[in-house]
Amino acid sequence: MRQITVTEHLILHQKKSPAATGMFTGLLHDLILAAKLITRNVSSAGLLDVLGGTGEINVQGEAVQKLDDFANRVLIHRMERSGALCMMASEEIADIIPVPSRFTRGDYVLIFDPLDGSSNIDVNINTGTIFSILRRRTPASQDPSIDDALQAGMHQVAAGYILYGPSTMLVYTTGQGVHGFTLDPSVGEFLLSHPNMQIPEQGKIYSVNEGNYLHWDNTTQNIVNYFKSKDNAIGSPYSMRYVGSLVADFHRTLLYGGIFMYPMDHRSPEKPRGKLRLLCEASPLSFVAEQAGGAATDGLKRILEIEPTSLHERVPLFIGSRNDVEVVNKFYAGAM
Ligand code: P6P
């Protein structure tokens, strides 16, 4: 295959996309540089003193891993100098991160999970960086505000992820399909390896942490039982795959089809909630899923239509093959 870089692909294939401006190409370039810096440390984590926790607890109430902190700092440092952003928001940080006025501010907002699945790093399981790019809503004459971040997923200009696995991959969409690039470490370039990725319409894999079964409501239990019964769309039980790293589970779903589920759980009856974050996890992956012909719902509503009310809002997530997500919607609508 002719070697096509990300920049070449953006210019060649994104002509009609509002994302093809120089500012956006520059943004993606800096994001790619950050990814290369992160992958360098993630891939040699066992050899550097970067394993384990920092001893801090983040805004999610989760123990911060040293590589979480490293990835977060690399992204903020690199991206605030990109000239393309007015503001960022990180899964690791409670509040919005305005680009300091000493730097050139741009029209875009970057929301990211710097290293999702980082609790798996110490056992050498795939992790990933998830990113969502919005256009600011407030006028350039004003300081950016949280309103620039609290936008429904349908307003994203671009979204995607970097997967740190046996190879490092960048998968992204700007609304013109989904394209995957694999890092060639010998030249330090992401080269097009998966053009126009499409999720199979019908899956045969389900992906969920069944250890939470007792915390689900009856409808959710019935949905999972459907996928592992013979009375489903394929007439035999689906295979079950669960890495426990969202980017890895989503990437497999994107390539092989099927459905990834992180349902609402009723661990605390007064406050049932999902685990995954809307702005830095569910929205970007749902944009990718829909652009690849798949679908994503919280059980009642298309993820991309949910209007966020807070920066770290959590949602239930069912995402993957269109037919399988449709089944989930029917169960919650009482039609199955
Ligand atoms: P559980 C990782 O901590 C994460 O946020 C996602 O990457 C992953 O999908 C999920 O949590 C796993 O959660 O409760 O199954 O361990």
Side-chain angles (χ1 to χ4, degrees), residues 62 91 113 115-120 130 208-210 212 242-249 260 262 265 267 275-277 281 314:
E62 295 163 344
E91 189 251 5
D113 182 352
L115 203 61
D116 181 81
S118 55
S119 53
N120 288 315
I130 309 172
V208 68
N209 181 348
E210 293 221 34
N212 293 330
Y242 192 73
V243 178
S245 224
L246 175 59
V247 178
D249 281 318
F260 171 85
Y262 208 105
D265 80 42
R267 222 173 291 254
K275 172 176 186 180
L276 301 178
R277 274 65 67 162
E281 292 172 328
R314 296 167 187 262

Side-chain angles (χ1 to χ4, degrees), residues 32 36 183-190:
I32 287 168
K36 291 175 187 173
L183 180 64
D184 178 340
S186 66
V187 294
E189 274 293 347
F190 280 96

Side-chain angles (χ1 to χ4, degrees), residues 73-296:
R73 283 185 290 106
V74 163
L75 278 160
I76 292 172
H77 178 86
R78 179 51 42 211
M79 298 316 293
E80 68 187 357
R81 290 160 173 77
S82 69
L85 301 177
C86 64
M87 184 185 84
M88 288 177 260
S90 166
E91 189 251 5
E92 293 293 329
I93 296 182
D95 301 316
I96 58 170
I97 310 164
V99 171
S101 51
R102 68 178 181 279
F103 295 124
T104 304
R105 284 177 170 172
D107 305 334
Y108 296 102
V109 174
L110 174 68
I111 303 175
F112 57 87
D113 182 352
L115 203 61
D116 181 81
S118 55
S119 53
N120 288 315
I121 281 196
D122 293 3
V123 291
N124 204 16
I125 288 177
N126 292 15
T127 54
T129 297
I130 309 172
F131 61 90
S132 169
I133 299 170
L134 297 160
R135 204 180 296 287
R136 77 177 296 176
R137 275 184 163 165
T138 55
S141 55
Q142 287 175 12
D143 278 340
S145 81
I146 193 159
D147 295 340
D148 292 308
L150 298 184
Q151 300 184 48
M154 69 178 84
H155 300 303
Q156 291 175 98
V157 174
Y161 55 88
I162 296 102
L163 175 63
Y164 309 105
S167 62
T168 297
M169 275 197 74
L170 163 70
V171 175
Y172 83 89
T173 182
T174 61
Q176 314 283 323
V178 176
H179 310 285
F181 298 77
T182 300
L183 180 64
D184 178 340
S186 66
V187 294
E189 274 293 347
F190 280 96
L191 301 175
L192 184 65
S193 54
H194 297 68
N196 295 310
M197 299 175 84
Q198 288 289 308
I199 299 185
E201 194 174 15
Q202 175 59 53
K204 47 182 186 261
I205 299 170
Y206 77 102
S207 183
V208 68
N209 181 348
E210 293 221 34
N212 293 330
Y213 189 84
L214 293 179
H215 300 305
W216 296 334
D217 61 23
N218 288 338
T219 304
T220 305
Q221 291 174 340
N222 292 339
I223 289 170
V224 174
N225 292 334
Y226 163 89
F227 286 115
K228 59 190 197 180
S229 75
K230 288 184 179 159
D231 306 325
N232 58 38
I234 62 173
S236 66
Y238 283 43
S239 293
M240 204 289 262
R241 294 285 183 275
Y242 192 73
V243 178
S245 224
L246 175 59
V247 178
D249 281 318
F250 177 76
H251 188 66
R252 181 203 55 251
T253 304
L254 182 63
L255 286 169
Y256 290 171
I259 186 162
F260 171 85
M261 301 178 270
Y262 208 105
M264 172 90 75
D265 80 42
H266 297 256
R267 222 173 291 254
S268 49
E270 68 286 349
K271 204 166 158 270
R273 68 173 196 171
K275 172 176 186 180
L276 301 178
R277 274 65 67 162
L278 174 60
L279 288 176
C280 66
E281 292 172 328
S283 264
L285 296 184
S286 299
F287 187 20
V288 173
E290 288 201 5
Q291 282 290 311

